Amino acid sequence: MKENMSLAELNFQCFNAVFNLIMRNIGNSPSCVAVIKTECAYPVMVGKLQQQAAITAGRSQNSKLLAKTNGLLTHYQKPAPSVKVYSERVWGLKISKKLMFDAENYALQALMEMALNIPVAKLYSDYVLDYYSNGEIKYRKVAPISCVNLFRHPPLSDWNIISLHQAQTMFPQMLKGLPNDLKAWKDTKVLMDKDARQLFFTFDERSDIYLPFNCVLHGNRIRYQGNFKLSGNLHSVFASFAKAVRNGNYDRLSDDLRTFEQVYYENGEPKSKKIRLLVGFADLPYQKALDMVCDADLAQLRQAAARGVQTFSLTANGELLDSQKVRTSRLFNSATEGEQIILAPQEVYESWGQEFSPQFLQTLGVKRKYEYLPGNNFLLNIAALPQKSIAASKQNSAELQRLLTLPSIGIKTVDGVDVVQLGQDIVAGKLTIAEACKKYNKLAALVEDMVETQYSCESAHYSTPERHSRLTGAYSGRVYSDRVIG
């Protein structure tokens, strides 16, 4: 390994070394897809649940739980339409044509944190897991998505961008197996390290979507017209919860140990919802519910039955729940405000928490056929030449766009400076907006306040402690710190 290696090069080489080791361990599969298992766990509640289950294992028998639910499983398992309780994508790490899935750590949020240190990586998903109220987990193929980190400053700008023809001339042996359809792309560019020893192909794909990972992880508003879900790894959540119940700790679990947060984006707006795990039964007929309901909720149960309600959701302790908030109920209404609930017998959580089937893991490991497109968007995003990087930052800078709109809302002079002329000077390259904000404090405060209420700055450089959300550092918000793969 050479000296004076950049952080980007180091991460790239380290990932390749790990990936090649994995590939050797699975027999040099021609599919270039690895499926591994680690002990990683997300969300955080998984570790806390595991600790709680271990500390008091076997000391409690969940007497209330067992006394109330005796015989109800027979009803619950009768043939009935099962309810799809939750769906989550399975995400993997993709570098060029190499794809790696971790069966224990496949959430988009967790992989975004990892990919911050690997600028050439994409996050790829083409399968969804569906959890059903009868304990089944089904997987299905969906349209692929490959998430690309939208960089504010290209991290590999010290690498060289060369044509595909140049790459073939300089590295004939390396490229002798290049597919014919790629040879026809005359304008395709290739990335070469500054020592001219290594090539990296960065082809655009039809499935690419560009997201500022850093901003997404901090929950900021972004420019993206679409929906995606960050939360995942529910398999680990259900397995840990089931273990705690099995070991007799259900009554000991606090609400925070029963609850996970569903984090998602809708058209650039960050949103979240709390989802609580409870043991019990959804959609019980009245007579079964009457046998199970606690004294405090008996009158409420009878009143609901008098209004024509035919099925009810009750916890194992007899608490009557609003079925519109219960995701396992056929009466569930996703538009209902407040916390949502997953209510199921212990056996269902046990089933959801079982290890993924060999068939599913084998399916994840099949060879993919990627749909490449002519273009260099991905390459310019991670390794644009300095002049291109400057041009791109001018075009996409949230701060510059705010500055240019100040005159339209009546702010034409700030700190005695003509705002229109200042904007023209920045666009012309006479100074940067960072320099302008540093020179004129009032302008900096005004611009940053507007950016904070509109959009965050999109994706600070992955390896530098730049300001997150705000540009100059003069008006402190949050600071982005380095993330290193552990």
Side-chain angles (χ1 to χ4, degrees), residues 12 104 240 249 267 269 399:
F12 176 62
E104 300 293 335
S240 300
N249 295 298
N267 297 322
E269 294 288 347
E399 295 93 341

Side-chain angles (χ1 to χ4, degrees), residues 275-276 278 321 325-328 339-343:
I275 299 179
R276 189 155 51 117
L278 293 174
L321 303 176
K325 295 184 177 182
V326 177
R327 296 178 71 104
T328 41
E339 180 186 68
Q340 296 178 357
I341 296 168
I342 294 179
L343 180 71

Side-chain angles (χ1 to χ4, degrees), residues 362-376:
Q362 185 177 2
T363 301
L364 273 185
V366 300
K367 184 177 181 179
R368 268 79 169 173
K369 184 177 181 180
Y370 304 111
E371 191 171 358
Y372 295 111
L373 298 173
N376 298 296

Side-chain angles (χ1 to χ4, degrees), residues 36 115 209 257 277 362 373 416 420 483:
I36 65 172
I209 63 172
L257 290 178
L277 309 181
Q362 185 177 2
L373 298 173
V420 174
R483 296 172 186 267

Side-chain angles (χ1 to χ4, degrees), residues 58 332 349 378 399:
F332 172 64
Y349 289 111
F378 182 62
E399 295 93 341

